[in-house]
Amino acid sequence: MPNAQTVIPLGGNHMTSHQTHRRAAARVLAALALALALAGTALAQSYTTAKEVVDAMEAKPAPSTTVATMSMTVTAASGHSLTRTMQIWSADDGRSQLIKFLEPADVRGSGFLSVEKASGETETMIYLPALGRVRRVAGGQKQDAFFGSDFSYEEISSLSGDFGDDFETTLLETLPGPVYVLEGVAKPGSDGSYDRIVFQVPEATLLPQRVEFYRAGQLVKVLTIGGTSAVGGYDLPSVIRMETVATGSYTTIDQSDFKVDEAIPADVFTERFLQR
Amino acid sequence: MSTKRSRHTIAASPTRAVLVARAWLAALVTGAALLTATAGAQVSYRLGGLLTTEFGVAIDGTIPVAAAGLTLKLDGEIGSGLFPDAVFIAELYAGYDAAAAEPFEVGLGRAYATVYLGPVDLSVGNQVVAWGSTDAVNPVDVVNPRDLSNPVADPADQRRPVPLLRATVHAQEGVSVDLVVVPVFVASTLPGERWQPAAELPTLPPGMAIVGVMAPTESQPAFELGNVQFGVRATLDLDLGSGADVSAVVYRGFRHLPTASAELVPTETPGAFLLQPRLAYDRITVLGGDFSAVFGAYVVRGEAAYTFSDDPDGMDPAIGNDTFAAVLGAETKLAGGPFVTLQGAYQRTAPDAGGEARDSFSTVLAATFDPDNRTGMDVAWLHEWTDGSGAVRPSFTYTFADGLTGTASATVLYGKVGSTYGGWQDNTQFRLGLAYAF
């Protein structure tokens, strides 16, 4: 398994490292050839509609389960920051998710469990050691800040999923790369927090690298994928930043120690494991 | 609260049996961890703690609290993988409170080990078992005694760990059964002197007079097999909406607060008597249940319990009467605003022989709002509708750095003299605190 902390730069720059032992002339020729090849790739556009892009994103293989360590740094507009570290277990494309806090000491042991049932309803619980028992959380609380961060509970739950399920998408434009810029408008009856999103998807990764969240025409938050990790044949977002536009605060999540496709017992996504 | 319930000052210090049990349990937890470590099992542990300091001033100018405390904590797990074979925790507390009768205090906090045996979680040690679903009033949360030194503190902070054996069985189809055995009785810590009203002496026939009050005598249940307390809570998760659960509770044990009675002791002077208060802890059986359910943006919670005493007819003034309590409430997050909780609690105490039952109805309205990731604001309003008294407790917290939190809070008590909270008006107070978790 590749080193879980290794970040593979997007765009093919990693290939130059294989040429460092070649002679200078050969290296120049190879670099030229590579540049031409990349230029050709940049000009080629595989998808012409939003549906094709979304289908390609959805067809991209994703791990059946993920276990990772998440370091969440919340930075206020003033620049002062607080950091929290947690362990995250995820299965069923993020439909089952458990998060337990490791640091700092005053939140250590707190946990968050989210399980989407067959009916489509999501059962959500939190565990606070000081309370000594598990509490159910209502759907309306999914829009609340996730432990004081710029992420909401709902957004944390969808970190392992995609942004296309609740939105009708259209292709706005294609930037060099190519990078597809798509607009998603909330489908009627959607219970999401936003009525419009705009997201950029590089063809090379088919992972959203920037997502703008709008509510009532106002830009509310901006999510940026600042790095990915190649683990077990998957490209997984490892550096995720969410900015709240109105306040200027932002939260950065660094994910590491990935384990993918490991069998996670169903017991993990239960109240029992949440308070263990 | 029953009129028979004592508010006399007594030292609710742990009995010798409790101290021995706690020391034994602490040694057991530590020894088990060390033995496992030396036996080659994979053990991971962590040392941490909490440093606190608090200062408070009451409306009458007195200082109800000037305290500092240090809790050291060792916790860890034995085994590897997602499901360790066992976990353990041991806490040691040392504190100073200038306003307390005994300013220095050293004691054992939680100290227990849990072994995972297939579908069974087996815990032994000094621990807290929080049953129920509601917040301020918990009729089925009967396992642990309370530290009522500050009777209007957050109820979640008042639970005192006690030595007990706990087995939680996780059966199939969302059913779990929680069994608890508490071998040693531990009483609640009674409110301090500031919280106790002046004693009311009984009216005697002409020619008889009370010339003095003797120190109260207290009889706690002895450490013997017949006094072992035990309970069961069975919970069923329901596949309903966004989640629901319902539980049933049976508990056989003792009230953690004493029932006070008094008798007249003749003196050498004819017609002159001394009053001898007696405090005893009633044996009880509790039957109850609780539930929580999520409906859209609302969570609905409820609890109810009937407590049977050994004096169902109210014939014996030294034994408390049957009681019934029920709580129903809902909570939701207001759009763009605070998280709001409203709960109503009805309580009924069966009458003494020839008397009338006492009913009370109170509500708790609480709101929590976190304007940013460092700041938290809470306010809780408890109102007793039967006598018009109540308490309002606003608080403000600020996180200075990771683990370092400051708190400013106030407790405002109101009501007529003689009402549930009106007698405590002089305890209206303001507090500042600082806590560092490491």
Side-chain angles (χ1 to χ4, degrees), chain B residues 6-190:
Chain B
S6 166
R7 286 180 181 162
H8 292 272
T9 304
I10 59 171
S13 57
T15 63
R16 181 180 174 80
V18 175
L19 292 173
V20 169
R22 283 177 175 163
W24 181 80
L25 289 167
L28 179 72
V29 172
T30 310
L34 291 174
L35 278 174
T36 312
T38 54
Q42 187 170 345
V43 179
S44 59
Y45 65 91
R46 179 180 179 279
L47 285 167
L50 179 68
L51 186 62
T52 60
T53 181
E54 192 175 22
F55 176 81
V57 60
I59 195 170
D60 62 359
T62 59
I63 297 173
V65 58
L70 172 65
T71 301
L72 296 176
K73 183 168 81 171
L74 167 72
D75 69 307
E77 61 185 45
I78 300 165
S80 58
L82 284 173
F83 295 94
D85 301 323
V87 297
F88 57 90
I89 183 171
E91 293 174 335
L92 186 65
Y93 170 80
Y96 173 81
D97 185 348
E102 297 178 16
F104 291 99
E105 182 187 3
V106 177
L108 190 66
R110 294 178 300 164
Y112 65 92
T114 301
V115 181
Y116 302 108
L117 304 168
V120 180
D121 304 345
L122 187 63
S123 300
V124 183
N126 215 38
Q127 54 192 308
V128 169
V129 175
W131 281 351
S133 172
T134 56
D135 299 305
V137 180
N138 292 107
V140 302
D141 191 13
V142 290
V143 177
N144 291 84
R146 302 292 200 274
D147 180 354
L148 299 174
S149 306
N150 175 10
V152 293
D154 188 335
D157 296 334
Q158 292 179 330
R159 293 190 192 94
R160 296 177 63 196
V162 291
L164 59 84
L165 174 68
R166 180 183 195 182
T168 307
V169 183
H170 302 274
Q172 299 297 313
E173 307 298 329
V175 175
S176 63
V177 180
D178 202 4
L179 300 108
V180 169
V181 177
V182 187
V184 185
F185 174 79
V186 179
S188 291
T189 304
L190 295 179

Side-chain angles (χ1 to χ4, degrees), chain B residues 99-337:
Chain B
E102 297 178 16
F104 291 99
E105 182 187 3
V106 177
L108 190 66
R110 294 178 300 164
Y112 65 92
T114 301
V115 181
Y116 302 108
L117 304 168
V120 180
D121 304 345
L122 187 63
S123 300
V124 183
N126 215 38
Q127 54 192 308
V128 169
V129 175
W131 281 351
S133 172
T134 56
D135 299 305
V137 180
N138 292 107
V140 302
D141 191 13
V142 290
V143 177
N144 291 84
R146 302 292 200 274
D147 180 354
L148 299 174
S149 306
N150 175 10
V152 293
D154 188 335
D157 296 334
Q158 292 179 330
R159 293 190 192 94
R160 296 177 63 196
V162 291
L164 59 84
L165 174 68
R166 180 183 195 182
T168 307
V169 183
H170 302 274
Q172 299 297 313
E173 307 298 329
V175 175
S176 63
V177 180
D178 202 4
L179 300 108
V180 169
V181 177
V182 187
V184 185
F185 174 79
V186 179
S188 291
T189 304
L190 295 179
E193 195 172 354
R194 281 187 61 86
W195 298 92
Q196 296 179 21
E200 294 180 15
L201 299 179
T203 305
L204 299 181
M208 297 175 64
I210 295 173
V211 295
V213 179
M214 302 170 71
T217 62
E218 182 187 22
S219 82
Q220 289 198 7
F223 178 37
E224 58 188 38
L225 188 62
N227 288 340
V228 170
Q229 304 165 94
F230 54 92
V232 180
R233 180 178 187 240
T235 302
L236 172 65
D237 282 336
L238 303 172
D239 189 11
L240 190 71
S242 293
D245 59 78
V246 59
S247 301
V249 167
V250 179
Y251 188 79
R252 176 72 170 161
F254 296 91
R255 282 191 168 109
H256 294 113
L257 282 172
T259 295
S261 59
E263 62 182 51
L264 297 174
V265 179
T267 64
E268 294 179 351
T269 307
F273 295 87
L274 293 172
L275 190 69
Q276 172 63 73
R278 299 193 187 283
L279 306 176
Y281 297 85
D282 306 326
R283 186 185 292 278
I284 54 168
T285 300
V286 179
L287 295 180
D290 64 271
F291 77 95
S292 65
V294 181
F295 299 106
Y298 295 89
V299 182
V300 180
R301 304 180 189 281
E303 278 185 42
Y306 193 95
T307 301
F308 299 88
S309 76
D310 283 350
D311 183 29
D313 301 324
M315 301 297 289
D316 187 344
I319 300 177
N321 300 336
D322 291 4
T323 58
F324 172 75
V327 186
L328 185 63
E331 61 198 44
T332 192
K333 169 79 164 58
L334 302 180

